[in-house]
Amino acid sequence: MTRRMKASLVLASFAVAAAAGSAALASPSATPGVTKRTITIGGTFPLTGPAALYGAIPKAEAAYFSYVNAHGGVNGRQIVFKVYDDGYNPANTVPLTKKLVEQDHVFAVYSSLGTAPNLAIRDYLNKRGVPQVLLATGDSYWGSQYKQYPWTFGFNPSYPGESRVYGKFIASKVPQAKIGILVQDDAYGQNYYDGLVQGLGAAKSKIVDVEKYDPTQTDISAQVVKLKAAGANVLVIFALPTQTITALVVTTKIGWKPTTFINNVSESPLFMYLAQKSGANVDGDITSDYLYDYFNNPNSATTKLFKSIVAKYDPSANPLDINIEYAFANAWTLVYALKQAGKDPTRQSFMDALTHLNVTNPFLYAGTKMVTTPTERFPIDQQILAQYQNGVWHPFGHIFSNAR
Amino acid sequence: MRLRRPTAVGAAATLCAAIVVALLPFALSNYHRTTGATVAVYFIAILALDIVTGYTGQISIGHGAFMAIGGYTTAILTHDHGWNDLATLPAAAAAGFAAGVVVGLPALRFRGVYLALTTFAVALAVPQIAKNYSRFTGGTEGLPLPAHSGLWLYEVGWAIAGAMFVAAWLLLRGRTGRAFRAIRDSEVAAASSGVTLAVYKTVAFGISAAMAGVAGSLFVLVNSFVNPDVFGLQLSLYVLIGAVVGGLGSLRGVLVGAAFVELLPIGLTSGSLAPSQAVPVIFGAVVVAVMALLPLGAADLLRTVLQSRADRGQHPDTPLGTEAK
Amino acid sequence: MTERRPTAEWIVPAGLVAVCVLLVVGSLRSALFAQQTVSGLANGGIYASLAVALVLIYRATEVINFAQGALATFATYVAWQLMQWGLSYWAAFACTLAIAFVGGFAVELVAIRPVERRGSVLTVVIAAIGLLILVEGSIGWIWGNDVKFMPTPFPAHIYTVGGVAFSRQDLSTIAISLLAVIVLWGFFRFTKLGLAMRAAAVRPDAARLVGVRVSWMLSLGWGLAAALGAVAGLMAAASPSVLLQPSMMDGILIYAFAAAVVGGLESAFGAVVAALMIGVLLNLVTSYVHFVGPALQLPVAFVVMLVVLLVKPSGLFGRTRVRRV
């Protein structure tokens, strides 16, 4: 045996020993993620890649948790929030989530972002009894498939619920409607479309054209031009922010001013501002809101609290970015449920807290309440329509319920 | 052109590595076993790429596409037709082989960089096609697959990786391997010494794609999920990086390359926000540094370390890019 | 060795003329067609700037610079930052071109030259991929991953000609992109430095004998390519369908590659023609061909690329290399 080979064998055995050692050190406690002083949660988010603009969400959630930690934490425990970057690629989401559960021993997987990423980890988490909660995605099955996946719990109002509201509004308030729809060509878009058709009821015969686009297409001007050519006077846009902005700009460019509906995902004042600066005429456009109306209540206690937390813990956040507001509402819900889960929370008591909500979330639209039961698992099912005027969304009309 | 004899040192080193790989899972947690299984996936994919690019000289940047074909074959057969997941592997290999031939045939006409970019285009087009025919592929919402323990994935993954390694080694030692290397070094010389270029070049692609297809199947099994984004650009680029870091034209560095692309990015993640932003910066910088310091890959380094004095005078395989213009 | 008969010389010019005639006739008959053609040409202009940058580097070094798009995005962010600090658009534009030039020069010196010295072409390509990951990551690290607003220098003015709305934005983008390419062409054709650079690319050894500092020429080439990329980035960001974020140029880079390949990787003119054609083709296919679902837009572009390469393996205007035995 040469000296080199001896050396290699020694090194190899050291490696094996080290691995064994580290494996032994990671011994879980009774309730994973909960110690006397801390409670650990974590999620996967697209911090890089095409969906990276949603990276603002975990940043803002972390900011809120810092604020809560500075004020005693949750029942005396500090929240430890692990954020992993999956780039919206399920092949990254799965190993990172396994890391959260098996290495970091999180109490719950919190606020993971995206439909496909969450679908990829749903079976794994449910099999292990790990809460998969307050997901940053709005498809309806997060709330409806609870029998099969009891540990999964959504947050966003469902997409079909939202579009149902638009449908009902058009059916009752826009009798001469000729509806043109721009929709993403996948399950995300299909979700919205189905809800709209349900809400329209008999008025669905007024749909004159449906144009689809692929998420990788940023230039959808062709589709918009065709919608105008079909004679539509109502334009419903179920798209991602990039394409929504383009659609709004192109609509104005070709001299068209239909009554326009924009989905909640794309209605951030930031995007409206971008569209407007690029020449879109967006006054009069309609969307639905469920978050607290900071812009029209600049001096309320909630707004002041919101601004102070952001200034202290997330100062680089863009004030026009609605993701921050969303994040606070979501983070508040987590903290509330953790508190309700008791002095010694277990995963089961936590899920029970989430499925028995009956509380006003200060970061949601004033006058709405989060109400859940074990069989009704949509924490947000109240929305209000809002119209864009002079740079601000103005809620109008009454609060729509059961938008689930 | 001299054929290298397997040296005693090389064989012993390979055996050592095999023993470590076989024993390692018993010292690892379930999570780390899954990571080890993913290294096996990259191992097979890099091996596949090495055969067609390192040994035959046909640059393919898009092996993610062949992995996608294998992966979706497994997913569809398991999900829609109830096949046992291991039983789908031969089907994935067959589908991959067919795809490889389909790509390899027109590739006969393309020179070096045009071939590279065409394969790149194929790698980008395949996920889009998967998105479009969502009725079969589940579209962006994807298809779930049966889950397995980390140990199962590790053992199956490395058993297959080991088998493929041995098969590749035997193939490359023999006549086919000689033909591949001849084509890489000089197509004209190869043709004039009786090598039918079209056959061997296409076969190289086919075999490589078949192996990549199997890698894709395993990849999908490791994640128990498939959707078009799983086979996006990142995968093809990582396989390519792994192959070059490992060292093209040699089997020695494949393990190093696979470990590099799988373990480094995950090793750099820490779970806190600000450092997460730095991960791609560090990884990218390391890749550039490795290329500057070890242009011929880890295989070159290993060769110098392991080779006995007698072999040191031997002429190394010509690296890619110095082919006759 | 099979020596292929070069495809007839007249095919390419004739084909291009036919395409132009088709476009003009179509535009005269349908407002939608005209609108799509013009906005397609605008997109094509952006692809063209980036494609010529790719050709520049390829011609000098045979390297496919995967990082070109990321460098262009970085330059665009620099422009944004300058505007945040109070510069007017055109002042920032000019400064950015200068900074991009210096930056490209520096990148070649620091990251590419050490790799080039010791490695093969593929090694440099991998280094470029590492650079891509590094640069895109650093944009997010420095400026954050959120979307930023990039002011457009062109007021939202619309010209109507015969019932067709053309935006000033689109027309200006076409003009600026083509202007940048023409200026570059002029530089190469009419200046001594341009001649030296061309010599260094085609015959580095002979150029050295005449006193040309070949390695400086390469760095200069990277600098110019970076400046061109900056033009592409700025024009892209000015368009409302492209948001300023780190992954901004990812999609555009792909089409720029396709254009460079179809045009013939050694021909900047070919790259421009191909880029414009791809831009128009994509728009027209979306409008008129219905069985092509939205997800298939990218594959369609690549099928076209494949068809062109099958007929002319070196691209439309590429030189068919004769292989010496």
Side-chain angles (χ1 to χ4, degrees), chain A residues 167-184:
Chain A
K168 287 186 188 163
F169 182 81
I170 296 173
S172 57
K173 298 282 166 61
V174 192
Q176 308 296 342
K178 294 208 202 97
I179 308 167
I181 308 173
L182 176 66
V183 67
Q184 185 158 296

Side-chain angles (χ1 to χ4, degrees), chain A residues 47 214 219 222 225 246 253 274, chain C residues 32 36 43 145 149 158 241 294:
Chain A
L47 299 180
D214 179 82
D219 184 10
V225 169
T246 309
K253 265 202 312 196
L274 290 174
Chain C
L32 176 66
Q36 296 298 50
N43 292 335
N145 283 300
F149 172 67
I158 305 194
S241 28

